[in-house]
Amino acid sequence: MNASMSWLKAYVPDLNVSDTEFTDAMTLSGTKVEGYERRDKNLERIVVGKILKIEAHPDAEKLVVCQVDTGDAAARFDVKNENGVVQIVTGAKNMKEGDLVPTVLAGGKVAGGHDGGPMPEEGMAIKAGKLRGVESNGMMCSIEELGSTKDFYPEQPENGLYIFAPDSGVKPGDDAAEALGLHDTVFEFEVTSNRVDCYAMTGIAREAAATFGKALTLPEETVHETEENCSDYIKVEVRDADLCTRYCGRVCTDITIAPSPVWMQRRLASCGIRPINNLVDITNYVMLEYGQPMHAFDLSTVAGNQIIVRRAADGEKFITLDGQERTLDKDVLMICDAEKEIGIAGIMGGENSMITDSVKTVLFEAATFNGPNIRKSSKRIGLRTDSSSFFEKGLDPANAEAAINRACHLVEELGCGKVTKGIVEVCAPLPAQKRIAFDPERINALLGTEISREQMLAYFKPLEIAYDEAKNELVIPSFRQDLNALCDIAEEVVRFYGYDKTPTTLPASTVSSGKRTKQMEVEDCLKEVALYAGFSEGYSYSFESPKVFDKLQLPTDARERQAVKIVNPLGEDFSIMRTLPLNGVLGSLSINYNRRNKNVRLFECGNVYLPAALPLTELPDERMMLTLGFYTDENKGKSGEAFFELKGVVEEMLARLGMRVQGASGALSFCAPAAAQDGGCCGGDAACCEARPYLHPGRQARVCFTPSGKQDKDCVCLGYIGEVHPDVCEAYEIGARTYVAVIDIPALMPFASFDRIYHPLAKFPAVTRDISMTVPKTVTHAALEEMIRQRGGKLLESVSLFDIYEGAQIKEGFKSMAYALSFRDAARTLSDEDVAAAMKKILNGLESLGAELRS
């Protein structure tokens, strides 16, 4: 929102502060000033000069020598002159003797070139000198050389000097910058979306009056009406009241089109709006002044003298004022007459009802349209205007009548028409003014201040917040849509009391210290282990390309392909929300591999988005996944060392969370996909048990956890680890064996615990036994370890595999495995008989798995 100081002073006459003081005070009171620019920047010694004589240059046919009367200005600035007359050489052609022009005297500055080209930041200095041998002591200026453009000074000729009108009231020696309205500052305000009232000059003026404690003078809205009734000229019907809650219309007759007055042109120009004519300028002026867009229709083009507000038809075509044909749909609101459409509500009028110089009777429209609908309609038809930008913020319905009355007042003031009696209006019941109980003590408690009740009410008065003493309530004006509770009132108090004066205090109530959630602590624990194991954390986008599924070799019916599509994506490569966490890590590994970085280990904590159904009927399941990934040299890959190294990292992570291979809370296990083909495990999720196509079919495992008291089939799948399939590595251009692990953090949360049980140091010695046996190759270490622990009972303290061998000494189809067992009783020293009994049970169990003791 831009606002000029000269315009603001029309409402706050006593606002006599510097630009810096205004900027600082307004920003501190909550109406932030982004910056400001003086319109007379780099303009020095700019005066009104009267051309007394024009003579041809003796040595240049394109130049002329002018004698210019500058009154007492030349003497005041010590510029060479004769009785106030200075000599200036120029190449301009559009002036004549007797013309009054802006003139910069020698030693002064101008802000721009006559061609509008770039100029130095400090402007261009004008020096006394000679042009082709003839002395020149200044320069006569075009409007571009004064830092503006013809768009904002329509009286400026296409080429040449700016010439003051004979009735402009200026005389030689006057300040030309002041006469042109250039002694002004334009402030740029950063207005938040909840302060719709501050998108209007009156709203900014109200804030300025409250900030500086000055009187506010609001615009005049009184209208002297004729005897003719507005209702005799126009009828209004609103068929879609959900999109138009209020429609006001007023009719003005005997219209005369002419340029608007200079003061109005200057104010519009200061806000970046080009003056056109009195009628169009009035609608633009009221839009800026009240924040209420308006439209003017030539009533002679409105068929049947009837306005109908309704939705358009799908596929309907309409030509707007800019001459472009627009394709509409049923959600675009239209302004129509009895036969045709004449405007797109809140966006732009139609070419078929535009104001021309021959207009005699005008219909002014001021309405309140549904903000979100205007925003969506503007986007669908590809047309965003100043009007639509106001409506989409949600306007105050009570403001429409005030704005249309102001427009009619200006019609009278400018002498461009007569106003008929009354308003034709269709309006839903206006909402009652909000009321908020006034509690100064609670406000002071919130702020930590001691502001008196009277002082608070004094802050409210210029803001037009009324006080109902009988009910002890504050009555909120309709334009303050942001005030809804006592906390909002406290903010109004403190911003005018002064944030800089508000003391630093602690809340009176007991404050409980914040802490991290359990999931945050779990994530931190997992990250700590990953960093300790040499992994570096990375981040990748949560949205990716559908092509990822093909790179990961997912079948066409894979449930991971059912992804949430982004409505307005950055492009096809970012068009869906990810359902797998692998692409980001594999993509990062690919970049590092192709840049020849060695020993790269990455991990990422990020959400995947799993929809319950498509199209979406509810929010997708956002699951936090920890993904580990690295590539390794060929030797580690062939030996299997890399796979088991990654398995060890995952085991350490889960052990830190209380989930050990054999612990009090349950048992952690790593299961091959084939082990779950009989179904019934992982909560009945068969897809979880299937082999993953993006991992090597023989080098992958599920990470499962079986809670205490549950059977193996009741295990919970916490994730998976494995070597990336060679074809997937090729798709990602990774030329080395690559390994990944994924941990589903929400799945492990019910079992994660940071509780630790203290066990005193053992008082009695342990007894160790080693067993070496041959077992069929189909029997896994996990099965053997589980059998040993099950049969070893409470006396078995630990079991560890220390040797595995296959070779010529071992018969075909078998392998040799050796385990170290440790037995201990916390209450006594174990005897040989105790250990022998436990070992007998263990060996009997192992024999049931096909194991044979080696001699």
Side-chain angles (χ1 to χ4, degrees), residues 43-92:
L43 297 184
E44 297 178 9
R45 299 191 179 187
I46 310 292
V47 301
V48 176
K50 183 177 183 179
I51 302 174
L52 301 178
K53 189 176 182 180
I54 302 176
E55 297 177 317
H57 192 288
D59 196 28
E61 61 180 23
K62 292 186 178 181
L63 299 178
V64 295
V65 181
C66 299
Q67 305 301 320
V68 182
D69 179 10
T70 60
D72 64 347
R76 192 166 66 247
F77 293 123
D78 196 23
V79 176
K80 184 177 179 181
N81 69 95
E82 293 184 12
N83 297 322
V85 177
V86 297
Q87 182 170 287
I88 297 176
V89 179
T90 182

Side-chain angles (χ1 to χ4, degrees), residues 5-16 201-202 204-210 212-218:
M5 178 59 78
S6 62
W7 196 349
L8 283 174
K9 286 185 176 179
Y11 313 121
V12 191
D14 298 330
L15 191 59
N16 298 314
M201 290 296 301
T202 51
I204 296 293
R206 190 179 289 110
E207 291 292 307
F212 293 98
K214 303 296 184 181
L216 176 67
T217 304
L218 291 176

Side-chain angles (χ1 to χ4, degrees), residues 410-486:
L410 290 172
V411 167
E412 284 189 327
E413 183 179 334
L414 272 55
C416 58
K418 299 178 180 177
V419 184
T420 59
K421 184 186 298 184
I423 299 178
V424 174
E425 178 183 23
V426 175
C427 180
L430 295 178
Q433 287 184 288
K434 289 177 287 189
R435 288 173 170 262
I436 299 174
F438 183 43
D439 190 343
E441 292 183 2
R442 190 176 171 197
I443 291 173
N444 278 321
L446 282 170
L447 302 178
T449 55
E450 296 180 358
I451 305 172
S452 68
R453 179 191 194 90
E454 292 71 23
Q455 184 61 55
M456 291 184 187
L457 293 175
Y459 294 145
F460 300 148
K461 187 174 181 180
L463 299 174
E464 300 183 36
I465 300 174
Y467 175 55
D468 185 341
E469 188 172 1
K471 296 183 178 180
N472 192 34
E473 292 178 335
L474 298 173
V475 184
I476 310 302
S478 59
F479 56 79
R480 288 303 300 272
Q481 301 176 20
D482 60 310
L483 301 182
N484 298 293
L486 189 68

Side-chain angles (χ1 to χ4, degrees), residues 643 670-679 681 686-693 695-704 720-721:
F643 179 92
F670 294 81
C671 309
Q677 288 177 350
D678 57 347
C681 62
C688 176
C689 301
E690 295 173 357
R692 289 171 167 79
L695 299 180
H696 191 294
R699 299 168 190 156
Q700 58 174 290
R702 294 178 295 118
V703 181
C704 296
Y720 53 88
I721 67 170

